[in-house]
Amino acid sequence: MARTLQSYVLGAWVTPDGDGEPVVDAVTGEQVAVATAAGIDFAAVVRHARDVGGPALRELTFHERAAKLKELVGVIAEHKDELYALSAQGGATKKDAWVDVDGGMGVLATYASKARKELPNAKVAVDGPPEPLSRDGSFLGQHVWTPKQGVAVQINAYNFPCWGSLEKLAPALVAGMPVIVKPAPQTAQVAEALYRHVVDSGVFPEGAIQFVAGHPGDLLDHLDGRDVVGFTGSAATAEVIRGHRAFTARAATLITETDSLNAAVLLPGAADDEAHVDRFVKEIKKELLTKAGQRCTAIRRALVPETAVDTVVAKLQQALEGVTLGDPTREDVRMGALVSASQKQDVVRTVEKLLAGCRTVVGDDAPELLGDVDPGAFMAPTVLLLEDPGFDAVHELEPFGPVATLVPYRDADEAVALVQRGGGSLVTSVFGSAADPDAATVFTGIAAHHGRLLFVDDVSAETQTGHGTPLPHLVHGGPGRAGGGEEMGGVRGIHHYLQRTALTGSPELITRMTGRYAPGAPRRLDVEHPFKLTYDQLQIGDALETEEREITLADIERFAELSGDTFYAHMDEEAAKASPIFEGRVAHGYFLVSAAAGLFVWPDPGPVLANFGLENLRFLAPVYPGDRIKLFLTCKDKVTRREPDQGTVTWDVEVLNQHGEVVAAYDVLTIVRREVPA
């Protein structure tokens, strides 16, 4: 008897008692489990997330949550073999499982890293610089990000039970929102194993992660404007979800990623270039075989210049000849099964509809299968060729399996029009020279219809990451048919789970609330030289007011000789006076920066280990011979580094003349020693 998958809710693993959906091994056709959530109290599950998981997560800083995310990578890595074996039940080869399992770990690692680099070690993050709202600087505005105090629900597709879930989990947990995970039933056994290890590791506090193996019942009824739902699946299901009162009446956030008729375009100028054609064909083949074509980013329409159709067809026939299908656990099998026999039949029915305007140029109704397998879910890679240019179905129907259609076209303008007919896509790839004017035509014509574009030329051919590979650094999603949502994109993906608020008040209030020094806030000038303080001793607002230094004509001329910068405004009095900007010879801006450093540095060895950059440098007023400058150096921000004994300190620098006017302003980035307990 098939076992019932467990769910983790309210602090315990439970086995629901009731009817559910069968989980079938795609390779053997045997039922291996039942996915059900019968009897689970979803109102209590949501309360547990909000009342237990949320507060515990919000007690941690962005960096502390990121560190826990990194810890999960090691937890999952210990159980990769188990996840690979279970993935094979869904038809995945070892290479397919690598994309899913290791790809998911890669998302966690990337978010852990980017959060530590791009977010503060605090519970609040600022969005942009302060906005001055009064003439005297006593009233400022600052946009801030804080964690939403609801729950992040993820409703996932079957094709990537690990990656598809972890790419939603990572930004939500870093943001500080607890998560309820709902997998697709077809591969729920993989997701159950993944989350058993994740939850049982105890890395994240109780309530931060709950897992529901079966149908989510009335879960959406308990959501409101505090909550976020991430959905990956069909456009039809997304339409039903969008109409729920959680979104229409209570304004919960919905992020959807749905159907997508992604394209690949071989530019007209690349039609006679064998290298470009070969790369185009290789990418189509890879997208047909990976996960048996069951990727939301897979190539569905391959646009080929009319003059190159015969060549591309012949190369695809050669490339796909001899591809081995069968038991995905065998090393000699290149492509496994679709996730189920019913999914295969859905694809077959879609192909039959497409054949009303296309013909098959690659495909085998009865492919040879290796191993002891049930043939019900296996389908050979299939390539169609559009013969009727007016056939709309090729731009409307998505065969979610190992199927792509070659679409002939005349010129770049027609290629643009054909791609646009997909109604909005996750990704299109373009093959040809970067210098080809048609590349720009295609880019400007299709960019607004996509979440991602991949251009492959001779330079990037060996390093490009692939048409079908979403990257955690870049946004994943697309307009229109693709769902209108957006996931990942580095810190952008975290923002979905944070509330942006316009905070207004005095500079001191802005500084205290954000933990980041705002211009005009009180400075603490009664501390010893800030460069003598360790990272841990420094506080936001610790500052140094320097002595004055007079800028002389000799200074300007020596700097010009040393640097080679003999621009007329520094060296020619008459020419400088004739300028509409200056009244005479002026000091070099970069000399002022150097002179400022001479005023604020502490020369002896100490906690400050290195200066590694300047940011936001502005020269606001000219400095003439005889002017006197001084500056304020203020601790603006602190961020821990990967090295446990180091931190990054950002210093606000204001250089003033003898009249109190700010002549230069910038941030100095330094690496400062931390106090590490023995």
Side-chain angles (χ1 to χ4, degrees), residues 620-641:
L620 304 173
V623 173
Y624 299 101
D627 283 347
R628 300 187 306 279
I629 64 167
K630 71 172 185 178
L631 62 88
F632 287 98
L633 175 78
T634 308
C635 180
K636 179 179 182 177
D637 196 17
K638 297 167 57 180
V639 178
T640 55
R641 295 172 64 88

Side-chain angles (χ1 to χ4, degrees), residues 103 318 431 524:
Q318 181 181 13
F431 295 79
R524 282 185 295 277

Side-chain angles (χ1 to χ4, degrees), residues 482-540:
E486 187 178 281
E487 299 173 328
M488 297 195 295
V491 172
R492 298 171 188 83
I494 298 172
H495 290 164
H496 294 303
Y497 305 95
L498 300 172
Q499 177 62 44
R500 180 163 46 196
T501 303
L503 174 66
T504 56
S506 68
E508 180 178 4
L509 181 134
I510 299 295
T511 298
R512 289 183 178 276
M513 295 301 103
T514 65
R516 184 181 177 94
Y517 179 77
R523 298 181 173 101
R524 282 185 295 277
L525 296 168
D526 57 349
V527 297
E528 62 179 320
H529 195 293
F531 276 25
K532 297 172 69 176
L533 302 177
T534 66
Y535 177 93
D536 305 275
Q537 292 170 329
L538 276 168
Q539 298 182 49
I540 302 299

